[in-house]
Amino acid sequence: DYLKIVGGETENLNFGAEGVPLDLETEQAYLRSQCESADNVQYLAKANGEIIGTASLTEAPAHEHRREFGISLKKAWWGCGAASALTEAVLDFAKENGFEQLNLEVRSGNARAIRLYEKYGFRKLCTFPDFFKIDGESIDFDLMNLELTSAGD
């Protein structure tokens, strides 16, 4: 239900008001794998008993040193510091577990999110033109990277 809400509030995610197309069994298996994994993490931000945001690190296939970062937040909570708190929790987890790099994909026009990522040291590597097509419109996404360790550390 949370994903349907945030998907319907913004065009900056790779899904819309339909949410992520997972059946209940697949979603439960995904969440169970997150809970059981020592290398992946899923944080939830809650207010008044309801989920207002989520942030995760997931393993990038065949890349033990690198993780994919993802974050979303209900629009009513934008600008209140919840996204920063979630990002800091993820970065702490990544550093504690010795990950060397974090990657993310962000819609090129999503200035608010890009400012958040840059605040924590992410840098733009490149732009993927036509990364998505939404209702026939081509959408560019930027690939961003954060180096957590440098060679020789």
Side-chain angles (χ1 to χ4, degrees):
D1 290 341
Y2 165 80
L3 295 176
K4 289 178 182 177
I5 293 168
V6 296
E9 291 180 332
T10 181
E11 295 179 343
N12 293 322
L13 299 172
N14 60 3
F15 56 90
E18 75 284 355
V20 177
L22 299 176
D23 60 44
L24 181 60
E25 185 177 300
T26 305
E27 185 174 5
Q28 288 173 334
Y30 167 76
L31 292 172
R32 207 171 15 261
S33 73
Q34 287 291 85
C35 289
E36 295 168 357
S37 172
D39 295 325
N40 296 340
V41 69
Q42 179 94 29
Y43 290 108
L44 302 177
K46 294 177 98 177
N48 304 320
E50 92 178 65
I51 298 171
I52 63 163
T54 181
S56 64
L57 279 183
T58 54
E59 192 169 356
H63 301 284
E64 292 181 13
H65 68 291
R66 181 167 55 90
R67 293 294 180 271
E68 298 287 334
F69 175 59
I71 188 169
S72 65
L73 191 65
K74 286 184 176 178
K75 195 169 191 173
W77 295 91
W78 291 3
C80 75
S84 291
L86 283 165
T87 301
E88 289 169 13
V90 165
L91 292 178
D92 288 345
F93 178 87
K95 291 172 186 172
E96 289 168 11
N97 285 280
F99 301 136
E100 297 173 26
Q101 296 179 28
L102 300 183
N103 301 100
L104 62 86
E105 296 158 353
V106 59
R107 189 174 179 145
S108 298
N110 189 350
R112 176 185 289 274
I114 291 169
R115 278 193 307 273
L116 172 75
Y117 304 140
E118 289 174 339
K119 171 181 164 182
Y120 289 99
F122 283 87
R123 64 182 180 86
K124 177 180 169 179
L125 297 177
C126 63
T127 297
F128 288 99
D130 304 328
F131 192 75
F132 282 114
K133 285 207 181 236
I134 301 175
D135 296 327
E137 179 188 354
S138 293
I139 309 295
D140 297 346
F141 267 62
D142 294 344
L143 174 62
M144 298 184 78
N145 177 266
L146 174 63
E147 294 284 337
L148 296 171
T149 61
S150 53
D153 282 355

